[in-house]
Each structure stands twice: as C-alpha cells, then as structure tokens.
Amino acid sequence: MKNYFYVFLLSILSLSGCWDSKELNEIGIVTGIAIDRDQKTEEIILTQQTLNPATLNIAIGAPGPNVKNHESRGNTIFEAVRDGTQDFDRKKFFNHNKIIIINEKVAREGVLSILDVFIRDHEGRGLTLLSIARGVEARELLAEEPQGIGRYQAIHLEEMMENYRYNQKSSKVNIINFFEKELEEGINPVMGVLEKEETNAKLTGIAIFKKDKLIGYLDEIETRGYNWVIGEIHNAAITMPSLKNENELVLLETLGGDSRIIPNIAGNEISFTIESRIEVSLAEQQSKEEYDPYENLEYLKQVENKTKKVIEKEMKMAIEKVQKEYQADIFGFGRQLFKENPSKWKEVKENWDEIFSNAAYTIKIDVDIKHTGLIQGSFSSEE
C-alpha cells in the first residue's frame, strides 16, 4: 500500500499548472518562502518574497523595490497565508515559488506538517527547493540583498543551490527528493544548509534527518564524502599537495562518475562494498619542475593513486560520523539491501539504525585522469 501511495504522491508533485487564470495585477507572485516560529506564542512566522510587477516592466520603469517581503502569522502555514490577506493587497500565487527556507528549530520538530500544504495545494510545486537556515532566522536569509547577478534574493538562492555541482560541498534537494527518501525504506533524507556570512547567505554542508526531524549536520568536506558515496559526482575541485614539491599544490577537476553500494551477507553479518568510478582532469598545478613524457605517465599514475586516498578519506569521514553520531542511514545502504534481498531486509528493518551504525564496509575506487588540459608538463621561466 505504501508503494502505491508513493507513486501517487510523486505523480501529484510532478504536476504544476494554473488552476484558474488571473491577471498579473490581481496576484502577488511568490518567489521565496521562509518559515520560522515565534518562541513565545508558538505561531508560525511565514515570510513570502513577492514580486512587484510594476518594476518588472522596463517600459513603465515604475519606482520602488523589485520584491516585497511580507510577513504573516498563524497556527498553520495555510492559516498564515490567508491571514496575510488582511494586510497585503494581493492574493499570493505560489506556482512560481523557487525555494522554501526552514528554520532549524522548526525542522527539529518535524517538517512533514510544515510541507503538507505545499504538497496538497494545487499551487504547490514538487520542484521547489528546500533548505535549512542554520544559526539564523530563515526570514533574515530571504531579506538579504542578493550578492550575485540575480535581481531577487529567492532567485539568487535558487541559482546558488544549483551550483552545488561545481563544489559538491552541499546538496540540492527539492520537495520530491525529500519525500522520495522519506517514503522509501532503508534511507533517510537530507537538505542543503544556508548560513549567514556578514551580508551574504552561503550554501554549506547538509542537514541530516531521521524520518522528518532534523538531527544534525555534515560539514563541507564530510558532505563531499557523502556525495562520493551516493554517486553525486559532477565538477568538484580536489586540491592536494604536489607529489613533486609538497609546498606546492595540484588541483584536479572531476568530470563525472558513479558509485554502487553492494550489500554482502554472510550468515547474520551484513557488510557493504562501495565501488566508485571517477573521471578527472588535471586542472592546475603549481610545480614548475620539468619532466619528460615518460616520467609524466608515471607521475599521473601517482596522482591518481593519491586522489583515491583523498576521496576514500572523505568517504570514511562522512560514513563514520553518520554511523557513530546520528545512526541515520542517509546513504541508502538499507535501500540497496531491500532491493537485492527483500527477505533479509524484512528480518532486520526494525533494528536497522543499530545495524547500520555497526555495519562494516569496504571502499573500492577507480580514478582515471582523462586529460591534462591544453599543455603537457609545466611552465617555467628561463634563468
């Protein structure tokens, strides 16, 4: 029954469209939402970043801010939305909402009740991005002036979250992704994390959930280890000491790859093998030492081996922290066990958190340097 509900829910979340038609000057187009809670009254504080249509028309060139951050309160999200019409001149329109930022204190209480309305309402979008506000009120992040090219903070944050593929030190999670992992067996969901740095928001690390409650975080390096394990391998930069001079650096760019989690069952013992295949290019090196083409081949092989060690270390940092501190399987070890051996999963699923936290694992990594850029060797100045 759970699987049927899962398919139904994802089908609904994937659909978006106009329930009815309204003129642009009759609605307030919401592009971003922040969710906090008043610690005294326990009311939800809902902040909605709404576009000002007049400022969008270049021909008119109306003065005033491009967006309005409107705050309303209520015992539920929907109540806060409707009560907001008492002091705002447009009915809010959520079809184009880009991001929902959730206060970490709210997330520790559970997010399913918070997200329910965004799934249930016809204006909800399953592709809306989710993020946790760490160490700061969520509405403060939405109120910041965008420090990039985008004109509106919500759009700026959305594009910033899309950039995770260029560093792999965070994660991009939308409503569909979150509920997919929440409803599946043998895996717990995560979200990206936003922090405030002076006058700017920064995407850093991931938030770990056990079911729908926030329980902790991984830092940037641990998060990159998490991404290696689950196969989210895009265009990250790996920096390490040069093998020719430890005081200089060499940088590799990942070009892509994949990972597999393989369950191993021996009697009552369950262990896992993680197999990763990663393609990289030599993007930058500081060493000026000259070497011939034959030496270059051996040098590149040594760089590949060093890269394996760096990636394996980051994988272990992520796995060991999650096993020992959180006992929450965010990697999907249990999901793979369920897929490959459903009968064994049925035996262990009630105690999976404990079993996962003590599960042994082996890491096998294949790194292949595909190219070294447009030059061979290094540049050096003549004496």
Side-chain angles (χ1 to χ4, degrees), residues 79-173:
E79 181 180 293
V81 171
R82 287 307 169 91
D83 284 359
T85 61
Q86 293 179 271
D87 61 358
F88 196 78
D89 58 347
R90 304 284 178 90
K91 180 183 180 298
K92 302 292 175 50
F93 184 71
F94 294 90
N95 276 78
H96 299 286
N97 183 40
K98 304 298 184 183
I99 186 171
I100 299 172
I101 309 171
I102 306 173
N103 185 297
E104 64 179 332
K105 294 177 183 177
V106 175
R108 289 188 185 276
E109 300 168 1
V111 298
L112 287 184
S113 60
I114 294 295
L115 297 176
D116 178 88
V117 67
F118 300 105
I119 304 164
R120 195 177 299 275
D121 192 82
H122 64 273
E123 290 183 7
R125 294 177 64 249
L127 299 180
T128 301
L129 298 179
L130 301 173
S131 184
I132 296 298
R134 185 180 187 186
V136 63
E137 297 295 310
R139 60 187 180 274
E140 291 183 37
L141 295 172
L142 202 57
E144 293 289 336
E145 287 294 323
Q147 299 299 307
I149 304 300
R151 297 173 64 186
Y152 326 113
Q153 179 69 346
I155 306 297
H156 168 70
L157 294 177
E158 179 200 29
E159 294 296 330
M160 192 168 67
M161 293 181 74
E162 293 285 352
N163 285 343
Y164 89 99
R165 64 180 58 246
Y166 301 116
N167 54 73
Q168 292 183 198
K169 295 179 179 179
S170 188
S171 185
K172 183 187 78 169
V173 178

Side-chain angles (χ1 to χ4, degrees), residues 138-312:
R139 60 187 180 274
E140 291 183 37
L141 295 172
L142 202 57
E144 293 289 336
E145 287 294 323
Q147 299 299 307
I149 304 300
R151 297 173 64 186
Y152 326 113
Q153 179 69 346
I155 306 297
H156 168 70
L157 294 177
E158 179 200 29
E159 294 296 330
M160 192 168 67
M161 293 181 74
E162 293 285 352
N163 285 343
Y164 89 99
R165 64 180 58 246
Y166 301 116
N167 54 73
Q168 292 183 198
K169 295 179 179 179
S170 188
S171 185
K172 183 187 78 169
V173 178
N174 60 39
I175 293 177
I176 291 178
N177 301 146
F178 187 86
F179 273 88
E180 179 182 34
K181 292 181 179 178
E182 165 61 24
L183 293 171
E184 277 193 286
E185 296 194 26
I187 191 168
N188 284 288
V190 302
M191 283 188 197
V193 177
L194 287 168
E195 295 182 354
K196 186 175 181 181
E197 288 195 344
E198 296 181 355
T199 60
N200 195 23
K202 181 183 179 181
L203 188 65
T204 174
I206 57 173
I208 299 172
F209 285 76
K210 184 169 282 190
K211 293 303 180 181
D212 75 321
K213 293 183 178 180
L214 170 66
I215 60 171
Y217 299 95
L218 293 186
D219 65 25
E220 293 181 357
I221 300 302
E222 294 161 348
T223 296
R224 194 162 69 171
Y226 161 80
N227 283 319
W228 296 130
V229 173
I230 67 171
E232 281 290 322
I233 302 167
H234 300 287
N235 301 109
I238 304 172
T239 304
M240 55 190 181
S242 171
L243 297 176
K244 292 190 172 293
N245 186 336
E246 63 180 15
N247 295 320
E248 297 174 327
L249 300 173
V250 60
L251 185 143
L252 300 172
E253 179 187 14
T254 56
L255 304 176
D258 55 64
S259 292
R260 295 174 58 218
I261 297 172
I262 305 168
N264 308 303
I265 301 172
N268 293 325
E269 297 296 320
I270 302 173
S271 61
F272 294 87
T273 301
I274 304 164
E275 295 183 351
S276 294
R277 180 189 58 83
I278 301 168
E279 296 179 350
V280 300
S281 69
L282 183 60
E284 182 180 7
Q285 67 172 2
Q286 296 179 338
S287 174
K288 303 178 181 65
E289 184 176 337
E290 294 184 4
Y291 45 88
D292 63 38
Y294 296 104
E295 289 178 339
N296 189 34
L297 293 176
E298 180 60 29
Y299 171 70
L300 294 179
K301 182 60 65 177
Q302 292 173 3
V303 171
E304 288 178 345
N305 291 331
K306 176 65 175 177
T307 305
K308 290 179 187 179
K309 293 178 181 179
V310 171
I311 294 172
E312 181 177 1

